[in-house]
Amino acid sequence: MTPMMHLGVGGILLVFAIPLIIHALFRRRRFARLTEGYQTYKSRSSIRTEMLTGALCLAAALVFGVLAWTNYSTATSNLTANIEQRYQPAEFTLGSWNGSWATVDITLEDGTRFADSVVVVRAGNEPFIEDVWYHTRDNAD
């Protein structure tokens, strides 16, 4: 779930940063129209602080977005490796994957094919495919 949390934090920061930057730009434009006596250091400093805060939030949102993408890619490749190690399929295709469960099209060594089987990630990051479990249990007799 870490990639999803990174994506959520990045989204919140983005929602915070964009209006803040727009407001700072609006204030800076309005400040530039003021006459010389009304352009105070306090206003200029406040606008600068608002722009800097918005830019930092935007940069942090980008970092969290990159972290989410990187961690999601790593988790996907780890899930693929764990499925290959546990089930030794002849072939399989990973479908949708949300961090706690995924769907796969899997073909076992004996030629049995399961389409859109749900893979649940159990404790210890062990993938569990219920369709394959029932198949091996029923054929073990």
Side-chain angles (χ1 to χ4, degrees):
M1 292 304 293
T2 303
M4 300 303 170
M5 290 185 339
H6 285 151
L7 187 63
V9 169
I12 290 169
L13 287 170
L14 187 66
V15 167
F16 179 73
I18 290 175
L20 192 63
I21 290 172
I22 290 171
H23 184 256
L25 290 172
F26 176 74
R27 284 183 62 203
R28 186 170 70 178
R29 190 180 75 190
R30 193 174 60 192
F31 180 80
R33 291 183 192 159
L34 293 174
T35 59
E36 225 17 72
Y38 292 101
Q39 291 183 350
T40 63
Y41 175 78
K42 184 177 178 182
S43 294
R44 182 177 290 132
S45 175
S46 173
I47 294 168
R48 188 181 314 120
T49 301
E50 192 173 0
M51 282 292 279
L52 183 63
T53 303
L56 289 175
C57 286
L58 199 60
L62 180 65
V63 167
F64 275 103
V66 168
L67 278 173
W69 179 263
T70 306
N71 290 341
Y72 181 80
S73 298
T74 302
T76 301
S77 65
N78 289 343
L79 177 66
T80 301
N82 287 343
I83 290 172
E84 287 176 351
Q85 180 183 5
R86 175 148 169 83
Y87 295 103
Q88 290 97 26
E91 68 177 72
F92 83 97
T93 306
L94 189 62
S96 62
W97 159 241
N98 72 358
S100 61
W101 63 270
T103 59
V104 294
D105 294 335
I106 188 167
T107 304
L108 300 177
E109 289 293 325
D110 64 1
T112 308
R113 179 164 171 69
F114 299 102
D116 291 329
S117 291
V118 175
V119 179
V120 178
V121 179
R122 289 185 167 177
N125 296 324
E126 177 188 4
F128 177 74
I129 304 173
E130 189 173 1
D131 292 337
V132 175
W133 183 77
Y134 279 124
H135 174 72
T136 55
R137 186 191 70 170
D138 293 340
N139 289 338
D141 297 333

